[in-house]
Amino acid sequence: EDKVVQSPLSLVVHEGDTVTLNCSYEVTNFRSLLWYKQEKKAPTFLFMLTSSGIEKKSGRLSSILDKKELFSILNITATQTGDSAIYLCAAGGSNYKLTFGKGTLLTVNP
Amino acid sequence: GAVVSQHPSWVICKSGTSVKIECRSLDFQATTMFWYRQFPKQSLMLMATSNEGSKATYEQGVEKDKFLINHASLTLSTLTVTSAHPEDSSFYICSARDPGGTSYNEQFFGPGTRLTVL
């Protein structure tokens, strides 16, 4: 059975801190690893990673994939209160399906 | 970018009634759509994969007679929760795959429908 495990499940930091969110996966016919941010409604897309070792960046967020060790990390530098959200990791396999992890609840306090 | 809409955004119904949720791809034709359910503080759980013109593929543990999925056109999939009960109260999210897109696993999510069964 396909499985995605995220850690930590929750995290509380102060504004300006740097955080690292972890995601490990076991997915048959793995094709890609996706990160989403979810606030009140449906998830919004952050990154899609398909190649090992190539960092993707968007502003203060960055992510990298290790296909040998089957994990990915999402980094957020200089955190802001607006970064408070649930961050979801999903692994894409065959039949276009995504398997989601339980998410990391990030709370950034002023 | 690809846009997916859902209707209604929220619905309250009495126990025993049926509720239909619509998922539409607005600017692309989606041969494959997905239905997820999310309970409070939990992750998205895939319920079923909806393929245009054929029967949906349900995930293990999801009752296909309770959660009826119809994907009658390339831009519309519907999820009907039949004989809803309070334990069906949840956040239902659909997503759609753009076959013209470049990424195999990329899905575009609708805004979700919050169902409350009294």
Side-chain angles (χ1 to χ4, degrees), chain A residues 1 31-32 34 36 38 40-43 45 48 86 88 92-98 100-103, chain B residues 9 32 34 36 38 41-44 46 49 59-60 91 93 97 103-107 109-112 114:
Chain A
E1 186 180 329
R31 287 179 175 259
S32 55
L34 297 91
Y36 293 88
Q38 185 177 28
K40 298 252 188 248
K41 291 200 169 181
F45 173 80
M48 176 183 284
I86 297 173
L88 295 167
S94 54
N95 296 322
Y96 313 116
K97 286 169 57 172
L98 293 178
F100 281 84
K102 291 189 176 182
Chain B
S9 55
T32 306
F34 303 89
Y36 295 86
Q38 186 176 34
K41 298 189 178 179
Q42 294 192 26
S43 191
L44 277 71
L46 179 65
T49 303
E59 294 300 300
Q60 195 170 10
F91 191 50
I93 306 174
R97 179 179 178 273
S103 301
Y104 183 88
N105 288 121
E106 187 172 26
Q107 296 178 16
F109 285 87
R114 187 158 304 282

Side-chain angles (χ1 to χ4, degrees), chain A residues 13-102:
Chain A
V13 299
H14 291 291
E15 266 192 318
D17 288 351
T18 294
V19 298
T20 298
L21 310 182
N22 304 296
C23 174
S24 65
Y25 62 91
E26 292 177 33
V27 169
T28 306
N29 298 322
F30 172 81
R31 287 179 175 259
S32 55
L33 193 291
L34 297 91
W35 285 96
Y36 293 88
K37 178 182 181 182
Q38 185 177 28
E39 296 172 271
K40 298 252 188 248
K41 291 200 169 181
T44 54
F45 173 80
L46 294 175
F47 297 109
M48 176 183 284
L49 304 152
T50 56
S51 301
S52 259
I54 300 174
E55 185 183 52
K56 288 208 172 181
K57 290 196 74 166
S58 177
R60 296 176 293 104
L61 278 66
S62 64
S63 183
I64 198 161
L65 173 67
D66 185 329
K67 291 169 76 172
K68 184 179 175 188
E69 300 297 329
L70 308 183
F71 79 87
S72 173
I73 59 172
L74 175 69
N75 279 321
I76 308 175
T77 59
T79 51
Q80 302 171 357
T81 55
D83 294 328
S84 295
I86 297 173
Y87 289 84
L88 295 167
C89 169
S94 54
N95 296 322
Y96 313 116
K97 286 169 57 172
L98 293 178
T99 301
F100 281 84
K102 291 189 176 182

Side-chain angles (χ1 to χ4, degrees), chain A residues 8-12 84-87 103-107, chain B residues 41:
Chain A
L9 292 180
S10 67
L11 189 56
V12 181
S84 295
I86 297 173
Y87 289 84
T104 294
L105 174 61
L106 174 65
T107 303
Chain B
K41 298 189 178 179

